[in-house]
Amino acid sequence: MFTTEIDSYRLSRRGFLNAAALGAASIAVSACTTTAGRPVEPPPPANVEPPLMDYATMYGPVSDNGFELPGIPYEKIDEQFLRQIVPDPTGQAPGTIVVDTAGHHLYFVRPGGQAIRYGVGLGRAGFEWSGDAVVQWKQKWPKWTPPAEMIARQPEYAKYSAENGGMPGGLTNPLGARALYLFEGNEDTLYRLHGSPEWFSIGKSVSSGCVRLINQDIIDLYDRVPNKTPVIVTSGVGQELVATADRKAIPIDAGVPEGSILLGPARAISEPIF
């Protein structure tokens, strides 16, 4: 009986010591894992695109693929034609390009009811067009090849014919720093969204039909849009699209990529206006 009590006492004491040791170990482990007293790190900042209002940076000199684009005197351009984020007036799905020929604006629709708006130069009377297309392919510093009909009227451009390899990309090339080639189905419309060294033509209707942007703006747009981007060209934002009879006229500033199919007779003009 006495032995049993001693054994019981030893077991109880051993259990107490073991429990105390386990408790101490638990406290030690808790001390290693506790976050008490540790500074709380702030959440990472949201990935928000900054407003496009730094015109000096946007339109400053650019080194691009071996070419040195000069800065643009943006102070001489009406501010409505400078690149900026605006409420989307088009009602189109994000990722759509909408060209408003009445306002001389191009909108790239973004999520959240916003759009990036660019000023554009457009076709003069007799060369306007409306409709929809897709960006079939894109080109940096594209080659320009005048149509045969243009060369027939102005032989001085024969040196840039398809047989002679066209005009290489460069600072004086009519297609500028970038070109987005617009197709309907598998057919080349021969219309382009392209750059232009003639920044003073933005906001005016002086070209032969293509949509021209400041070179710095077409570089920005090129980097934002993938192939197959839908493009809508309309005579007014929100108005019903109406195809025009002049849609198939060949714009002389389009160039003729190898393998293109001409969609109609060229419209004669007295002088090239790219």
Side-chain angles (χ1 to χ4, degrees):
M1 180 71 177
F2 180 73
T3 302
T4 302
E5 290 178 355
I6 292 176
D7 291 341
S8 177
Y9 168 78
R10 288 174 177 171
L11 289 173
S12 298
R13 186 171 183 275
R14 186 180 300 117
F16 171 79
L17 293 175
N18 288 340
L22 288 173
S26 297
I27 293 173
V29 171
S30 297
C32 290
T33 59
T34 184
T35 58
R38 189 171 64 186
V40 178
E41 296 181 1
N47 185 20
V48 178
E49 185 176 347
L52 303 179
M53 295 301 293
D54 185 359
Y55 295 139
T57 299
M58 287 194 293
Y59 295 111
V62 176
S63 295
D64 183 80
N65 288 269
F67 295 99
E68 298 296 326
L69 274 174
I72 299 299
Y74 61 89
E75 304 92 341
K76 298 181 179 180
I77 302 174
D78 189 323
E79 189 173 2
Q80 67 167 308
F81 299 125
L82 299 178
R83 189 192 328 159
Q84 53 195 285
I85 296 175
V86 299
D88 172 36
T90 71
Q92 299 298 321
T96 303
I97 292 173
V98 179
V99 179
D100 176 15
T101 59
H104 288 83
H105 291 132
L106 181 151
Y107 297 90
F108 179 58
V109 182
R110 303 178 353 141
Q114 293 184 329
I116 300 178
R117 189 179 71 189
Y118 308 82
V120 296
L122 297 167
R124 60 179 179 171
F127 288 90
E128 307 96 335
W129 62 281
S130 300
D132 55 357
V134 297
V135 175
Q136 185 72 13
W137 58 291
K138 310 188 301 179
Q139 185 68 43
K140 296 181 178 180
W141 295 100
K143 179 174 63 176
W144 176 66
T145 308
E149 291 82 357
M150 177 184 176
I151 295 175
R153 296 191 306 270
Q154 296 171 284
E156 65 269 24
Y157 288 102
K159 59 184 177 181
Y160 302 129
S161 67
E163 293 77 12
N164 291 328
M167 177 188 285
L171 296 177
T172 60
N173 187 296
L175 296 183
R178 302 285 190 275
L180 310 182
Y181 295 77
L182 305 185
F183 277 58
E184 285 183 313
N186 294 323
E187 288 190 327
D188 184 356
T189 67
L190 297 181
Y191 287 93
R192 315 284 183 246
L193 309 179
H194 66 83
S196 173
E198 298 179 346
W199 55 267
F200 46 84
S201 68
I202 302 304
K204 301 175 183 177
S205 296
V206 295
S207 77
S208 61
C210 287
V211 179
R212 54 167 62 185
L213 292 83
I214 296 171
N215 273 323
Q216 281 84 342
D217 281 347
I218 193 64
I219 290 174
D220 180 81
L221 181 64
Y222 180 102
D223 290 340
R224 295 179 187 275
V225 302
N227 288 340
K228 303 301 182 182
T229 293
V231 179
I232 299 173
V233 180
T234 177
S235 59
V237 169
Q239 297 183 13
E240 183 178 358
L241 298 180
V242 179
T244 67
D246 292 317
R247 176 67 186 274
K248 301 305 183 182
I250 299 174
I252 62 173
D253 54 349
V256 182
E258 185 177 353
S260 292
I261 301 174
L262 300 184
L263 302 182
R267 178 178 295 273
I269 62 174
S270 59
E271 60 182 1
I273 302 179
F274 301 115

